Amino acid sequence: MEKIGLFYGTDTGNTERVADMIKNELGADHVDIYDIASAKASDFEGYTKLILGQPTWYYGERQSSWDDFWEDFCAIDFTDKTVACFGLGDQADYAEYFVDAVGMMHDVVLQNGGSPAGYWSTEGYEYDESKAATDDGEFFVGLAIDEDQQAELTEQRVKDWVAQIKEEMAL
């Protein structure tokens, strides 16, 4: 299996923990993991398969390290790259912005020539709006994790999503 670049941002450690779960589920020797706080745009160049993750903060805001890196991120060429996204959010307390940051990352990937993978059913979630939801509302454009309201579902969701992206990315 070719190496996958997994880039995440975290403030509380929850997204890092989920990134580690994804890495372990894929096989640690198949994944190079980067905290976006210390990553450079050139770190993305050596991969044709990428996984990007961040939480959504407050009222639809990007995680602080992703926000600092955003201008560089928006300049990355994703042509010939398959990209899966995941994110954390709180569907009860921030129901109008649930995992918005996933949608923001996904939009940049598409605008810059990337091929998406890892769309995830919205079934089993209760939220009002999300920039990560497809127009028909049936899917998120990546894995949605809610450690505040549904922490007991995280492990199985990660396992199921990783199995899905393995197939979609031909891993």
Side-chain angles (χ1 to χ4, degrees):
M1 179 189 318
E2 73 180 276
K3 285 271 191 169
I4 300 162
L6 193 162
F7 295 80
Y8 72 92
T10 193
D11 286 329
T12 65
N14 286 337
T15 306
E16 180 178 18
R17 189 175 62 74
V18 173
D20 285 335
M21 291 171 69
I22 292 167
K23 176 187 76 171
N24 292 334
E25 194 66 29
L26 283 165
D29 54 333
H30 300 295
V31 179
D32 293 330
I33 193 164
Y34 298 84
D35 184 334
I36 203 68
S38 58
K40 302 178 293 301
S42 61
D43 292 333
F44 287 74
E45 292 173 7
Y47 304 99
T48 60
K49 312 252 190 277
L50 295 163
I51 299 172
L52 310 175
Q54 70 171 304
T56 300
W57 278 97
Y58 307 114
Y59 303 103
E61 298 170 27
R62 293 182 297 263
Q63 184 269 338
S64 59
S65 299
W66 272 103
D67 200 44
D68 293 343
F69 185 73
W70 200 250
E71 187 175 321
D72 290 334
F73 179 68
C74 289
I76 294 172
D77 182 2
F78 289 101
T79 303
D80 299 324
K81 296 182 186 300
T82 303
V83 183
C85 298
F86 74 96
L88 282 69
D90 181 337
Q91 62 193 309
D93 293 332
Y94 297 97
E96 294 177 5
Y97 310 96
F98 184 56
V99 296
D100 275 359
V102 173
M104 292 178 217
M105 289 187 302
H106 173 266
D107 289 350
V108 170
V109 168
L110 287 183
Q111 289 167 5
N112 294 0
S115 299
Y119 282 28
W120 184 252
S121 176
T122 56
E123 188 174 321
Y125 297 87
E126 293 184 32
Y127 64 96
D128 294 332
E129 294 181 39
S130 177
K131 290 180 181 177
T134 56
D135 289 341
D136 62 10
E138 290 186 31
F139 295 94
F140 292 115
V141 295
L143 176 62
I145 297 291
D146 186 340
E147 285 289 277
D148 297 303
Q149 310 302 325
Q150 297 178 323
E152 73 282 0
L153 300 176
T154 298
E155 186 175 334
Q156 191 60 53
R157 283 177 169 163
V158 167
K159 286 178 187 272
D160 292 345
W161 186 70
V162 168
Q164 175 184 327
I165 64 170
K166 278 182 172 180
E167 188 173 312
E168 291 177 16
M169 292 182 164
L171 302 172

